[in-house]
Amino acid sequence: MNNIKAHTVPPVVRYSVQEIHRGGWIRTRSGRHKRLWKKKENLRRRLRQHVFCNSTQSWLLDKMVTKYWRQPRYYVDDPYEPYHTREEGGWIRTRSGRHKRLWKKKENLRRRLRQHVFCNSTQSWLLDKMVTKYWRQPRYYVDDPYEPYHTREEFLITRKKPLP
């Protein structure tokens, strides 16, 4: 059987960081031991001082010292918001970046970003696994903006209207 150890802060990191009150962390500056003979006295003095870790560094250090079973669980966000299920079981989504930097995009690209696209089979399979049966059932709304996406008339298998 493997010897499983609890996840702790590595000794190198433990030497350079210290936890302070209320989840804050302080650390020593990088480069405090490197080529000191080249550095001026005021820079050497600043390198000896401790600085506060930013929020990302503090979060990572908290995660490293907290045992796995005491860490909060993070669940998948609700897939109902950005994705919409269609009547025959497929999923549609909006394009990424549809609200970003529209002033620099050409008009035809902006028009394409406003449209929805079909999820591929892997994405649809994952979304079906993430939601319950209740959310997979087709829903009918008055003036549904997603009504054009519920039918696929361009394929013979999924076609509902007869060919002319």
Side-chain angles (χ1 to χ4, degrees):
M1 191 166 152
N2 293 340
N3 188 6
I4 300 172
K5 293 182 180 178
H7 195 68
T8 57
V9 179
V12 175
V13 176
R14 198 178 316 129
Y15 172 72
S16 62
V17 296
Q18 295 173 353
E19 188 172 11
I20 57 176
H21 187 58
R22 292 188 181 168
W25 291 81
I26 57 172
R27 63 176 172 83
T28 53
R29 290 184 183 264
S30 59
R32 65 190 179 282
H33 297 305
K34 304 282 181 181
R35 298 186 181 124
L36 290 176
W37 55 272
K38 276 186 171 180
K39 297 175 180 166
K40 295 188 173 137
E41 181 57 36
N42 58 356
L43 179 59
R44 276 190 263 162
R45 193 176 314 119
R46 261 190 294 144
L47 288 175
R48 284 194 297 267
Q49 296 171 351
H50 284 74
V51 293
F52 287 101
C53 294
N54 62 25
S55 61
T56 307
Q57 293 167 340
S58 297
W59 179 78
L60 284 171
L61 287 163
D62 284 339
K63 196 171 166 84
M64 287 167 72
V65 298
T66 308
K67 303 239 182 301
Y68 173 73
W69 52 87
R70 291 184 190 237
Q71 291 177 11
R73 302 290 181 269
Y74 296 102
Y75 297 102
V76 179
D77 291 336
D78 291 337
Y80 328 118
E81 299 275 329
Y83 299 96
H84 300 280
T85 184
R86 294 183 17 240
E87 285 179 15
E88 85 331 299
W91 291 80
I92 56 173
R93 63 178 173 83
T94 53
R95 290 187 179 268
S96 59
R98 66 191 181 279
H99 297 304
K100 293 194 173 202
R101 298 188 180 123
L102 292 175
W103 54 271
K104 65 162 46 169
K105 293 178 180 168
K106 297 218 178 341
E107 183 57 39
N108 59 352
L109 178 58
R110 277 188 269 169
R111 182 184 49 77
R112 259 187 290 139
L113 288 175
R114 285 193 296 267
Q115 296 173 348
H116 286 64
V117 292
F118 293 104
C119 294
N120 62 26
S121 61
T122 308
Q123 291 169 338
S124 296
W125 177 72
L126 283 172
L127 287 164
D128 281 338
K129 275 179 40 171
M130 277 194 261
V131 298
T132 58
K133 188 178 178 183
Y134 171 78
W135 293 101
R136 278 185 240 128
Q137 293 172 350
R139 287 172 178 29
Y140 303 101
Y141 301 105
V142 178
D143 300 329
D144 188 10
Y146 300 107
E147 193 170 349
Y149 298 101
H150 288 306
T151 59
R152 294 182 80 172
E153 296 295 322
E154 64 270 12
F155 295 114
L156 288 174
I157 299 170
T158 57
R159 183 178 210 72
K160 293 189 177 176
K161 297 176 186 170
L163 285 169

